Amino acid sequence: MYKINTIEPLWWGLFGAGGFIAAFLLPVHMLVNGMLIPLGAAPQEAYSPQRLAALVSHPVVKLYLLALVSLPLFHWAHRFRYLLFDLGIHGGRTAIAFLCYGAAIVGTVVAAWTLVRV
Amino acid sequence: MAERTIGLSVTRFRPGEDRQPVSQTFTIPYHDDWVVLDALQYIKDRHDGSLSFRWSCHMGVCGSCGMMVNGVPKLTCAAFLRDYFPNEVRVEPLANFPVIRDLVVDIDDFMHKLAEVKPYIIRDDLETAPVGFGHEFRQAPEEVDDYRQFSMCINCMLCYSACPVYGMEPRFLGPAAIALAHRYNMDSRDQGRNERMPVIGSSEGIWECTYIGECSVVCPKNVDPASAIQRTKLATTNDWFRSILMPWGKR
Ligand code: SF4
Ligand code: FES
């Protein structure tokens, strides 16, 4: 095996996974949880607050929700960092990377904390 | 009928004389089967013998005639005047490279990067393998297909000229060097992957690429360096996670 001088694969891996979630899973949740349920277009019985609360209390569902929230944040972080570079901002690249991925990490921690408490 | 003409505005830079490049316009006869390189040759023969530019094959295989034609990196031996006529054609040296003289750029940076990725077959048994019929390193047609596209590169550097990332960060290894590294990594006869990956997987390698994709747009040989870079990002990421999750694992 070989060694490389960077942890970029970590960021890129998170970016890729987040892209998958943002493209395939988030739209479904936005449609179902964000529109159909509030509009009353989904069976109210099946999605009653009690049932949803019971669902969310399950550890596997919590893990799923954490990934659902966290990975797209890393997708954004990586995109945004590259976008700033493409826009010609090439000073302070380490600081920018720090802020972008830092924001995603903070978001992940907040999401984890919220999930632990519900 | 009066002879048709076309204007060519050409960048001139004479080291020691000019402080910075200036453009000079020539009006020359128009022929619809002429390429920009023919026009430059005409100028050199009839107007100014000191006009300097590189070329060799005049048939799109040597990769030495790359210049900016109306702001786009092109092989000038493949850029027909008829695609620009009757408008003036602007010919400039390849962007993102230091200019030596007129249309000639300094390619040292690219040559060094090329050497760094070891674009040749690496094997332990190259010296010791018996030579002669029946002892070739054989390859099935499907194995050739794995790298064929990436082996078409003629080192014309148009992709470097088109790449905004290379323009901003000259340390970036760049499209063609990564595509060539990928070409040898994908070659079933090669065993040098572990020597190349630390170079192309480094922070100056694939990770500088923000996937703009202009390299693949301008490449005259359809090499698609952008896809080589994406594939290498995926491979490096797989290797990296595997080495973290299974540090004992070898490949
Ligand atoms: S990848 Fe294409 S554009 Fe780049 S040097 Fe090779 S042939 Fe030229
Ligand atoms: S002169 Fe050889 S590629 Fe144009």
PDB file of all heavy atoms in Angstrom, chain A residues 1-10 12-13 82 85-86 88 90 93, chain B residues 168 194 197-198 201-203 207-210 212 233-234 237 239-240 251:
ATOM      1  N   MET A   1       0.852  -1.199   0.000  1.00  0.00           N
ATOM      2  CA  MET A   1       0.000   0.000   0.000  1.00  0.00           C
ATOM      3  C   MET A   1       0.891   1.254   0.000  1.00  0.00           C
ATOM      4  O   MET A   1       2.059   1.201   0.329  1.00  0.00           O
ATOM      5  CB  MET A   1      -0.896  -0.056   1.236  1.00  0.00           C
ATOM      6  CG  MET A   1      -2.163   0.742   1.144  1.00  0.00           C
ATOM      7  SD  MET A   1      -3.170   0.372  -0.310  1.00  0.00           S
ATOM      8  CE  MET A   1      -4.703   1.119   0.180  1.00  0.00           C
ATOM      9  N   TYR A   2       0.286   2.366  -0.372  1.00  0.00           N
ATOM     10  CA  TYR A   2       1.047   3.609  -0.450  1.00  0.00           C
ATOM     11  C   TYR A   2       0.514   4.610   0.563  1.00  0.00           C
ATOM     12  O   TYR A   2      -0.581   4.452   1.090  1.00  0.00           O
ATOM     13  CB  TYR A   2       0.903   4.196  -1.859  1.00  0.00           C
ATOM     14  CG  TYR A   2      -0.535   4.429  -2.243  1.00  0.00           C
ATOM     15  CD1 TYR A   2      -1.147   5.654  -2.007  1.00  0.00           C
ATOM     16  CD2 TYR A   2      -1.305   3.422  -2.831  1.00  0.00           C
ATOM     17  CE1 TYR A   2      -2.468   5.873  -2.335  1.00  0.00           C
ATOM     18  CE2 TYR A   2      -2.639   3.634  -3.164  1.00  0.00           C
ATOM     19  CZ  TYR A   2      -3.208   4.854  -2.911  1.00  0.00           C
ATOM     20  OH  TYR A   2      -4.521   5.076  -3.225  1.00  0.00           O
ATOM     21  N   LYS A   3       1.308   5.643   0.800  1.00  0.00           N
ATOM     22  CA  LYS A   3       0.866   6.690   1.740  1.00  0.00           C
ATOM     23  C   LYS A   3       0.721   8.002   0.973  1.00  0.00           C
ATOM     24  O   LYS A   3       1.510   8.296   0.083  1.00  0.00           O
ATOM     25  CB  LYS A   3       1.932   6.871   2.825  1.00  0.00           C
ATOM     26  CG  LYS A   3       1.893   5.827   3.913  1.00  0.00           C
ATOM     27  CD  LYS A   3       2.137   6.514   5.260  1.00  0.00           C
ATOM     28  CE  LYS A   3       1.871   5.612   6.454  1.00  0.00           C
ATOM     29  NZ  LYS A   3       1.154   4.374   6.203  1.00  0.00           N
ATOM     30  N   ILE A   4      -0.291   8.783   1.345  1.00  0.00           N
ATOM     31  CA  ILE A   4      -0.404  10.109   0.745  1.00  0.00           C
ATOM     32  C   ILE A   4      -0.360  11.167   1.832  1.00  0.00           C
ATOM     33  O   ILE A   4      -0.630  10.891   2.990  1.00  0.00           O
ATOM     34  CB  ILE A   4      -1.660  10.273  -0.132  1.00  0.00           C
ATOM     35  CG1 ILE A   4      -2.911   9.896   0.649  1.00  0.00           C
ATOM     36  CG2 ILE A   4      -1.555   9.444  -1.382  1.00  0.00           C
ATOM     37  CD1 ILE A   4      -4.184  10.151  -0.120  1.00  0.00           C
ATOM     38  N   ASN A   5      -0.036  12.404   1.413  1.00  0.00           N
ATOM     39  CA  ASN A   5       0.253  13.469   2.381  1.00  0.00           C
ATOM     40  C   ASN A   5      -0.979  14.260   2.814  1.00  0.00           C
ATOM     41  O   ASN A   5      -0.868  15.408   3.192  1.00  0.00           O
ATOM     42  CB  ASN A   5       1.285  14.431   1.771  1.00  0.00           C
ATOM     43  CG  ASN A   5       0.695  15.246   0.617  1.00  0.00           C
ATOM     44  OD1 ASN A   5      -0.444  15.038   0.223  1.00  0.00           O
ATOM     45  ND2 ASN A   5       1.472  16.178   0.080  1.00  0.00           N
ATOM     46  N   THR A   6      -2.169  13.678   2.690  1.00  0.00           N
ATOM     47  CA  THR A   6      -3.362  14.489   2.894  1.00  0.00           C
ATOM     48  C   THR A   6      -4.545  13.656   3.385  1.00  0.00           C
ATOM     49  O   THR A   6      -4.580  12.450   3.164  1.00  0.00           O
ATOM     50  CB  THR A   6      -3.735  15.187   1.563  1.00  0.00           C
ATOM     51  OG1 THR A   6      -5.030  15.752   1.669  1.00  0.00           O
ATOM     52  CG2 THR A   6      -3.760  14.197   0.418  1.00  0.00           C
ATOM     53  N   ILE A   7      -5.499  14.323   4.065  1.00  0.00           N
ATOM     54  CA  ILE A   7      -6.717  13.601   4.429  1.00  0.00           C
ATOM     55  C   ILE A   7      -7.871  13.978   3.507  1.00  0.00           C
ATOM     56  O   ILE A   7      -9.040  13.767   3.824  1.00  0.00           O
ATOM     57  CB  ILE A   7      -7.139  13.829   5.905  1.00  0.00           C
ATOM     58  CG1 ILE A   7      -7.334  15.324   6.173  1.00  0.00           C
ATOM     59  CG2 ILE A   7      -6.168  13.211   6.873  1.00  0.00           C
ATOM     60  CD1 ILE A   7      -8.266  15.579   7.358  1.00  0.00           C
ATOM     61  N   GLU A   8      -7.539  14.542   2.352  1.00  0.00           N
ATOM     62  CA  GLU A   8      -8.587  14.901   1.396  1.00  0.00           C
ATOM     63  C   GLU A   8      -9.554  13.753   1.106  1.00  0.00           C
ATOM     64  O   GLU A   8     -10.745  13.990   0.913  1.00  0.00           O
ATOM     65  CB  GLU A   8      -7.982  15.409   0.084  1.00  0.00           C
ATOM     66  CG  GLU A   8      -7.262  16.732   0.191  1.00  0.00           C
ATOM     67  CD  GLU A   8      -8.201  17.928   0.268  1.00  0.00           C
ATOM     68  OE1 GLU A   8      -9.426  17.757   0.162  1.00  0.00           O
ATOM     69  OE2 GLU A   8      -7.694  19.050   0.445  1.00  0.00           O
ATOM     70  N   PRO A   9      -9.071  12.490   1.036  1.00  0.00           N
ATOM     71  CA  PRO A   9     -10.018  11.396   0.763  1.00  0.00           C
ATOM     72  C   PRO A   9     -11.162  11.350   1.770  1.00  0.00           C
ATOM     73  O   PRO A   9     -12.291  10.992   1.417  1.00  0.00           O
ATOM     74  CB  PRO A   9      -9.161  10.137   0.856  1.00  0.00           C
ATOM     75  CG  PRO A   9      -7.792  10.598   0.522  1.00  0.00           C
ATOM     76  CD  PRO A   9      -7.685  11.993   1.079  1.00  0.00           C
ATOM     77  N   LEU A  10     -10.888  11.732   3.006  1.00  0.00           N
ATOM     78  CA  LEU A  10     -11.952  11.768   4.012  1.00  0.00           C
ATOM     79  C   LEU A  10     -13.025  12.763   3.584  1.00  0.00           C
ATOM     80  O   LEU A  10     -14.215  12.436   3.512  1.00  0.00           O
ATOM     81  CB  LEU A  10     -11.375  12.167   5.371  1.00  0.00           C
ATOM     82  CG  LEU A  10     -12.417  12.423   6.463  1.00  0.00           C
ATOM     83  CD1 LEU A  10     -13.188  11.151   6.801  1.00  0.00           C
ATOM     84  CD2 LEU A  10     -11.768  12.996   7.714  1.00  0.00           C
ATOM     85  N   TRP A  12     -13.537  14.042   0.667  1.00  0.00           N
ATOM     86  CA  TRP A  12     -14.167  13.683  -0.607  1.00  0.00           C
ATOM     87  C   TRP A  12     -15.144  12.533  -0.422  1.00  0.00           C
ATOM     88  O   TRP A  12     -16.200  12.494  -1.055  1.00  0.00           O
ATOM     89  CB  TRP A  12     -13.102  13.326  -1.653  1.00  0.00           C
ATOM     90  CG  TRP A  12     -13.644  13.368  -3.040  1.00  0.00           C
ATOM     91  CD1 TRP A  12     -13.869  14.481  -3.801  1.00  0.00           C
ATOM     92  CD2 TRP A  12     -14.057  12.245  -3.833  1.00  0.00           C
ATOM     93  NE1 TRP A  12     -14.387  14.132  -5.014  1.00  0.00           N
ATOM     94  CE2 TRP A  12     -14.513  12.770  -5.066  1.00  0.00           C
ATOM     95  CE3 TRP A  12     -14.082  10.871  -3.637  1.00  0.00           C
ATOM     96  CZ2 TRP A  12     -14.987  11.966  -6.090  1.00  0.00           C
ATOM     97  CZ3 TRP A  12     -14.553  10.062  -4.657  1.00  0.00           C
ATOM     98  CH2 TRP A  12     -15.007  10.604  -5.872  1.00  0.00           C
ATOM     99  N   GLY A  13     -14.796  11.598   0.445  1.00  0.00           N
ATOM    100  CA  GLY A  13     -15.692  10.483   0.733  1.00  0.00           C
ATOM    101  C   GLY A  13     -16.997  10.981   1.343  1.00  0.00           C
ATOM    102  O   GLY A  13     -18.094  10.585   0.932  1.00  0.00           O
ATOM    103  N   TYR A  82     -14.665  24.607  -2.706  1.00  0.00           N
ATOM    104  CA  TYR A  82     -14.175  24.605  -4.086  1.00  0.00           C
ATOM    105  C   TYR A  82     -14.747  25.776  -4.866  1.00  0.00           C
ATOM    106  O   TYR A  82     -14.081  26.378  -5.701  1.00  0.00           O
ATOM    107  CB  TYR A  82     -14.541  23.285  -4.770  1.00  0.00           C
ATOM    108  CG  TYR A  82     -13.531  22.183  -4.550  1.00  0.00           C
ATOM    109  CD1 TYR A  82     -12.540  22.298  -3.585  1.00  0.00           C
ATOM    110  CD2 TYR A  82     -13.551  21.033  -5.331  1.00  0.00           C
ATOM    111  CE1 TYR A  82     -11.613  21.291  -3.394  1.00  0.00           C
ATOM    112  CE2 TYR A  82     -12.626  20.020  -5.144  1.00  0.00           C
ATOM    113  CZ  TYR A  82     -11.665  20.149  -4.174  1.00  0.00           C
ATOM    114  OH  TYR A  82     -10.733  19.153  -4.003  1.00  0.00           O
ATOM    115  N   PHE A  85     -12.813  28.863  -4.279  1.00  0.00           N
ATOM    116  CA  PHE A  85     -11.563  28.818  -5.035  1.00  0.00           C
ATOM    117  C   PHE A  85     -11.820  29.141  -6.508  1.00  0.00           C
ATOM    118  O   PHE A  85     -11.099  29.929  -7.120  1.00  0.00           O
ATOM    119  CB  PHE A  85     -10.924  27.435  -4.880  1.00  0.00           C
ATOM    120  CG  PHE A  85      -9.594  27.314  -5.552  1.00  0.00           C
ATOM    121  CD1 PHE A  85      -8.496  27.996  -5.062  1.00  0.00           C
ATOM    122  CD2 PHE A  85      -9.440  26.529  -6.681  1.00  0.00           C
ATOM    123  CE1 PHE A  85      -7.260  27.897  -5.679  1.00  0.00           C
ATOM    124  CE2 PHE A  85      -8.210  26.420  -7.304  1.00  0.00           C
ATOM    125  CZ  PHE A  85      -7.122  27.104  -6.804  1.00  0.00           C
ATOM    126  N   ASP A  86     -12.867  28.532  -7.067  1.00  0.00           N
ATOM    127  CA  ASP A  86     -13.208  28.785  -8.471  1.00  0.00           C
ATOM    128  C   ASP A  86     -13.537  30.255  -8.716  1.00  0.00           C
ATOM    129  O   ASP A  86     -13.312  30.778  -9.802  1.00  0.00           O
ATOM    130  CB  ASP A  86     -14.403  27.930  -8.900  1.00  0.00           C
ATOM    131  CG  ASP A  86     -14.008  26.466  -9.083  1.00  0.00           C
ATOM    132  OD1 ASP A  86     -12.791  26.204  -9.134  1.00  0.00           O
ATOM    133  OD2 ASP A  86     -14.902  25.611  -9.174  1.00  0.00           O
ATOM    134  N   GLY A  88     -12.029  32.554  -7.519  1.00  0.00           N
ATOM    135  CA  GLY A  88     -10.780  33.298  -7.541  1.00  0.00           C
ATOM    136  C   GLY A  88     -10.269  33.684  -6.162  1.00  0.00           C
ATOM    137  O   GLY A  88      -9.292  34.420  -6.047  1.00  0.00           O
ATOM    138  N   HIS A  90      -8.134  32.742  -3.619  1.00  0.00           N
ATOM    139  CA  HIS A  90      -7.184  31.678  -3.326  1.00  0.00           C
ATOM    140  C   HIS A  90      -6.232  31.997  -2.193  1.00  0.00           C
ATOM    141  O   HIS A  90      -5.295  31.276  -1.941  1.00  0.00           O
ATOM    142  CB  HIS A  90      -6.448  31.164  -4.568  1.00  0.00           C
ATOM    143  CG  HIS A  90      -6.075  32.229  -5.544  1.00  0.00           C
ATOM    144  ND1 HIS A  90      -4.797  32.624  -5.768  1.00  0.00           N
ATOM    145  CD2 HIS A  90      -6.861  32.977  -6.353  1.00  0.00           C
ATOM    146  CE1 HIS A  90      -4.795  33.575  -6.672  1.00  0.00           C
ATOM    147  NE2 HIS A  90      -6.012  33.819  -7.060  1.00  0.00           N
ATOM    148  N   ARG A  93      -6.573  29.563   2.043  1.00  0.00           N
ATOM    149  CA  ARG A  93      -7.293  28.339   1.688  1.00  0.00           C
ATOM    150  C   ARG A  93      -7.466  27.407   2.880  1.00  0.00           C
ATOM    151  O   ARG A  93      -8.491  26.736   2.993  1.00  0.00           O
ATOM    152  CB  ARG A  93      -6.576  27.619   0.549  1.00  0.00           C
ATOM    153  CG  ARG A  93      -6.725  28.371  -0.751  1.00  0.00           C
ATOM    154  CD  ARG A  93      -5.974  27.703  -1.865  1.00  0.00           C
ATOM    155  NE  ARG A  93      -6.572  26.418  -2.205  1.00  0.00           N
ATOM    156  CZ  ARG A  93      -6.024  25.568  -3.060  1.00  0.00           C
ATOM    157  NH1 ARG A  93      -4.871  25.859  -3.610  1.00  0.00           N
ATOM    158  NH2 ARG A  93      -6.608  24.431  -3.337  1.00  0.00           N
TER     159      ARG A  93
ATOM    160  N   MET B 168      -4.470  29.336 -11.401  1.00  0.00           N
ATOM    161  CA  MET B 168      -4.389  29.966 -10.082  1.00  0.00           C
ATOM    162  C   MET B 168      -3.359  29.304  -9.190  1.00  0.00           C
ATOM    163  O   MET B 168      -2.779  29.931  -8.323  1.00  0.00           O
ATOM    164  CB  MET B 168      -5.759  29.891  -9.396  1.00  0.00           C
ATOM    165  CG  MET B 168      -6.728  30.929  -9.886  1.00  0.00           C
ATOM    166  SD  MET B 168      -8.135  31.064  -8.780  1.00  0.00           S
ATOM    167  CE  MET B 168      -9.156  29.713  -9.318  1.00  0.00           C
ATOM    168  N   ASN B 194       1.606   1.794  -6.901  1.00  0.00           N
ATOM    169  CA  ASN B 194       1.959   2.317  -5.580  1.00  0.00           C
ATOM    170  C   ASN B 194       3.029   3.415  -5.634  1.00  0.00           C
ATOM    171  O   ASN B 194       3.195   4.165  -4.677  1.00  0.00           O
ATOM    172  CB  ASN B 194       2.442   1.186  -4.663  1.00  0.00           C
ATOM    173  CG  ASN B 194       1.265   0.353  -4.168  1.00  0.00           C
ATOM    174  OD1 ASN B 194       0.107   0.698  -4.422  1.00  0.00           O
ATOM    175  ND2 ASN B 194       1.564  -0.726  -3.469  1.00  0.00           N
ATOM    176  N   MET B 197       0.631   6.623  -7.076  1.00  0.00           N
ATOM    177  CA  MET B 197      -0.474   7.136  -6.257  1.00  0.00           C
ATOM    178  C   MET B 197      -0.062   8.208  -5.253  1.00  0.00           C
ATOM    179  O   MET B 197      -0.797   9.183  -5.079  1.00  0.00           O
ATOM    180  CB  MET B 197      -1.208   5.978  -5.557  1.00  0.00           C
ATOM    181  CG  MET B 197      -2.032   5.120  -6.500  1.00  0.00           C
ATOM    182  SD  MET B 197      -3.195   6.065  -7.495  1.00  0.00           S
ATOM    183  CE  MET B 197      -4.703   5.806  -6.580  1.00  0.00           C
ATOM    184  N   PRO B 198       1.084   8.059  -4.554  1.00  0.00           N
ATOM    185  CA  PRO B 198       1.458   9.130  -3.625  1.00  0.00           C
ATOM    186  C   PRO B 198       1.620  10.475  -4.339  1.00  0.00           C
ATOM    187  O   PRO B 198       1.392  11.528  -3.743  1.00  0.00           O
ATOM    188  CB  PRO B 198       2.793   8.657  -3.041  1.00  0.00           C
ATOM    189  CG  PRO B 198       2.787   7.191  -3.222  1.00  0.00           C
ATOM    190  CD  PRO B 198       2.027   6.935  -4.495  1.00  0.00           C
ATOM    191  N   GLY B 201      -2.164  11.351  -5.772  1.00  0.00           N
ATOM    192  CA  GLY B 201      -3.126  11.447  -4.666  1.00  0.00           C
ATOM    193  C   GLY B 201      -2.759  12.510  -3.643  1.00  0.00           C
ATOM    194  O   GLY B 201      -3.464  12.694  -2.658  1.00  0.00           O
ATOM    195  N   SER B 202      -1.658  13.217  -3.869  1.00  0.00           N
ATOM    196  CA  SER B 202      -1.207  14.236  -2.913  1.00  0.00           C
ATOM    197  C   SER B 202      -2.088  15.468  -3.005  1.00  0.00           C
ATOM    198  O   SER B 202      -2.945  15.580  -3.883  1.00  0.00           O
ATOM    199  CB  SER B 202       0.239  14.628  -3.221  1.00  0.00           C
ATOM    200  OG  SER B 202       0.262  15.421  -4.392  1.00  0.00           O
ATOM    201  N   SER B 203      -1.848  16.419  -2.101  1.00  0.00           N
ATOM    202  CA  SER B 203      -2.708  17.607  -2.114  1.00  0.00           C
ATOM    203  C   SER B 203      -2.481  18.457  -3.362  1.00  0.00           C
ATOM    204  O   SER B 203      -3.356  19.208  -3.765  1.00  0.00           O
ATOM    205  CB  SER B 203      -2.520  18.434  -0.845  1.00  0.00           C
ATOM    206  OG  SER B 203      -1.159  18.601  -0.570  1.00  0.00           O
ATOM    207  N   TRP B 207      -6.594  16.447  -5.805  1.00  0.00           N
ATOM    208  CA  TRP B 207      -7.503  17.178  -4.909  1.00  0.00           C
ATOM    209  C   TRP B 207      -7.592  18.653  -5.239  1.00  0.00           C
ATOM    210  O   TRP B 207      -8.482  19.358  -4.756  1.00  0.00           O
ATOM    211  CB  TRP B 207      -7.083  16.962  -3.453  1.00  0.00           C
ATOM    212  CG  TRP B 207      -6.976  15.512  -3.166  1.00  0.00           C
ATOM    213  CD1 TRP B 207      -5.828  14.816  -2.917  1.00  0.00           C
ATOM    214  CD2 TRP B 207      -8.037  14.539  -3.168  1.00  0.00           C
ATOM    215  NE1 TRP B 207      -6.104  13.487  -2.751  1.00  0.00           N
ATOM    216  CE2 TRP B 207      -7.451  13.290  -2.905  1.00  0.00           C
ATOM    217  CE3 TRP B 207      -9.412  14.616  -3.369  1.00  0.00           C
ATOM    218  CZ2 TRP B 207      -8.200  12.117  -2.835  1.00  0.00           C
ATOM    219  CZ3 TRP B 207     -10.152  13.449  -3.304  1.00  0.00           C
ATOM    220  CH2 TRP B 207      -9.543  12.223  -3.040  1.00  0.00           C
ATOM    221  N   GLU B 208      -6.667  19.166  -6.042  1.00  0.00           N
ATOM    222  CA  GLU B 208      -6.791  20.560  -6.474  1.00  0.00           C
ATOM    223  C   GLU B 208      -7.938  20.713  -7.465  1.00  0.00           C
ATOM    224  O   GLU B 208      -8.490  21.798  -7.624  1.00  0.00           O
ATOM    225  CB  GLU B 208      -5.498  21.036  -7.145  1.00  0.00           C
ATOM    226  CG  GLU B 208      -4.335  21.241  -6.200  1.00  0.00           C
ATOM    227  CD  GLU B 208      -4.496  22.487  -5.351  1.00  0.00           C
ATOM    228  OE1 GLU B 208      -5.510  23.190  -5.494  1.00  0.00           O
ATOM    229  OE2 GLU B 208      -3.597  22.739  -4.532  1.00  0.00           O
ATOM    230  N   CYS B 209      -8.264  19.640  -8.143  1.00  0.00           N
ATOM    231  CA  CYS B 209      -9.270  19.720  -9.217  1.00  0.00           C
ATOM    232  C   CYS B 209     -10.647  19.994  -8.634  1.00  0.00           C
ATOM    233  O   CYS B 209     -11.133  19.262  -7.786  1.00  0.00           O
ATOM    234  CB  CYS B 209      -9.291  18.428 -10.019  1.00  0.00           C
ATOM    235  SG  CYS B 209     -10.696  18.319 -11.147  1.00  0.00           S
ATOM    236  N   THR B 210     -11.283  21.070  -9.108  1.00  0.00           N
ATOM    237  CA  THR B 210     -12.624  21.389  -8.621  1.00  0.00           C
ATOM    238  C   THR B 210     -13.685  20.946  -9.630  1.00  0.00           C
ATOM    239  O   THR B 210     -14.822  21.377  -9.571  1.00  0.00           O
ATOM    240  CB  THR B 210     -12.762  22.897  -8.329  1.00  0.00           C
ATOM    241  OG1 THR B 210     -12.520  23.619  -9.544  1.00  0.00           O
ATOM    242  CG2 THR B 210     -11.755  23.350  -7.290  1.00  0.00           C
ATOM    243  N   ILE B 212     -14.067  21.383 -13.016  1.00  0.00           N
ATOM    244  CA  ILE B 212     -14.590  22.375 -13.940  1.00  0.00           C
ATOM    245  C   ILE B 212     -14.808  21.732 -15.309  1.00  0.00           C
ATOM    246  O   ILE B 212     -15.779  22.007 -16.002  1.00  0.00           O
ATOM    247  CB  ILE B 212     -13.620  23.568 -14.029  1.00  0.00           C
ATOM    248  CG1 ILE B 212     -13.635  24.304 -12.687  1.00  0.00           C
ATOM    249  CG2 ILE B 212     -13.974  24.491 -15.174  1.00  0.00           C
ATOM    250  CD1 ILE B 212     -12.586  25.342 -12.531  1.00  0.00           C
ATOM    251  N   LYS B 233      -9.830  10.043  -7.944  1.00  0.00           N
ATOM    252  CA  LYS B 233     -10.343  10.481  -6.641  1.00  0.00           C
ATOM    253  C   LYS B 233     -11.081   9.336  -5.961  1.00  0.00           C
ATOM    254  O   LYS B 233     -10.902   9.084  -4.767  1.00  0.00           O
ATOM    255  CB  LYS B 233     -11.302  11.669  -6.806  1.00  0.00           C
ATOM    256  CG  LYS B 233     -10.607  12.996  -6.999  1.00  0.00           C
ATOM    257  CD  LYS B 233     -11.619  14.140  -7.042  1.00  0.00           C
ATOM    258  CE  LYS B 233     -10.913  15.475  -7.217  1.00  0.00           C
ATOM    259  NZ  LYS B 233     -11.849  16.594  -7.344  1.00  0.00           N
ATOM    260  N   LEU B 234     -11.895   8.644  -6.738  1.00  0.00           N
ATOM    261  CA  LEU B 234     -12.667   7.534  -6.181  1.00  0.00           C
ATOM    262  C   LEU B 234     -11.731   6.420  -5.699  1.00  0.00           C
ATOM    263  O   LEU B 234     -11.865   5.912  -4.584  1.00  0.00           O
ATOM    264  CB  LEU B 234     -13.638   7.011  -7.249  1.00  0.00           C
ATOM    265  CG  LEU B 234     -14.615   5.938  -6.806  1.00  0.00           C
ATOM    266  CD1 LEU B 234     -15.497   6.472  -5.678  1.00  0.00           C
ATOM    267  CD2 LEU B 234     -15.490   5.485  -7.972  1.00  0.00           C
ATOM    268  N   THR B 237      -9.841   7.452  -2.595  1.00  0.00           N
ATOM    269  CA  THR B 237     -10.727   7.477  -1.430  1.00  0.00           C
ATOM    270  C   THR B 237     -10.997   6.057  -0.933  1.00  0.00           C
ATOM    271  O   THR B 237     -10.937   5.791   0.267  1.00  0.00           O
ATOM    272  CB  THR B 237     -12.040   8.199  -1.784  1.00  0.00           C
ATOM    273  OG1 THR B 237     -11.707   9.517  -2.229  1.00  0.00           O
ATOM    274  CG2 THR B 237     -12.957   8.306  -0.590  1.00  0.00           C
ATOM    275  N   ASP B 239      -9.063   3.443  -1.330  1.00  0.00           N
ATOM    276  CA  ASP B 239      -7.820   2.953  -0.714  1.00  0.00           C
ATOM    277  C   ASP B 239      -7.635   3.558   0.673  1.00  0.00           C
ATOM    278  O   ASP B 239      -7.235   2.886   1.606  1.00  0.00           O
ATOM    279  CB  ASP B 239      -6.603   3.333  -1.573  1.00  0.00           C
ATOM    280  CG  ASP B 239      -6.586   2.561  -2.876  1.00  0.00           C
ATOM    281  OD1 ASP B 239      -7.360   1.588  -3.004  1.00  0.00           O
ATOM    282  OD2 ASP B 239      -5.796   2.925  -3.768  1.00  0.00           O
ATOM    283  N   TRP B 240      -7.937   4.852   0.769  1.00  0.00           N
ATOM    284  CA  TRP B 240      -7.712   5.559   2.024  1.00  0.00           C
ATOM    285  C   TRP B 240      -8.609   5.000   3.120  1.00  0.00           C
ATOM    286  O   TRP B 240      -8.148   4.663   4.205  1.00  0.00           O
ATOM    287  CB  TRP B 240      -7.980   7.057   1.834  1.00  0.00           C
ATOM    288  CG  TRP B 240      -7.581   7.894   3.005  1.00  0.00           C
ATOM    289  CD1 TRP B 240      -6.342   8.407   3.254  1.00  0.00           C
ATOM    290  CD2 TRP B 240      -8.419   8.321   4.087  1.00  0.00           C
ATOM    291  NE1 TRP B 240      -6.360   9.125   4.414  1.00  0.00           N
ATOM    292  CE2 TRP B 240      -7.613   9.086   4.955  1.00  0.00           C
ATOM    293  CE3 TRP B 240      -9.755   8.133   4.404  1.00  0.00           C
ATOM    294  CZ2 TRP B 240      -8.108   9.671   6.116  1.00  0.00           C
ATOM    295  CZ3 TRP B 240     -10.254   8.702   5.562  1.00  0.00           C
ATOM    296  CH2 TRP B 240      -9.430   9.466   6.415  1.00  0.00           C
ATOM    297  N   ARG B 251      -2.784  -4.721  -0.497  1.00  0.00           N
ATOM    298  CA  ARG B 251      -3.315  -5.028  -1.805  1.00  0.00           C
ATOM    299  C   ARG B 251      -2.191  -5.181  -2.808  1.00  0.00           C
ATOM    300  O   ARG B 251      -1.120  -4.751  -2.596  1.00  0.00           O
ATOM    301  CB  ARG B 251      -4.289  -3.998  -2.354  1.00  0.00           C
ATOM    302  CG  ARG B 251      -4.387  -2.686  -1.637  1.00  0.00           C
ATOM    303  CD  ARG B 251      -5.353  -1.791  -2.338  1.00  0.00           C
ATOM    304  NE  ARG B 251      -5.184  -1.868  -3.787  1.00  0.00           N
ATOM    305  CZ  ARG B 251      -6.161  -1.735  -4.649  1.00  0.00           C
ATOM    306  NH1 ARG B 251      -7.359  -1.544  -4.247  1.00  0.00           N
ATOM    307  NH2 ARG B 251      -5.940  -1.799  -5.949  1.00  0.00           N
TER     308      ARG B 251
END
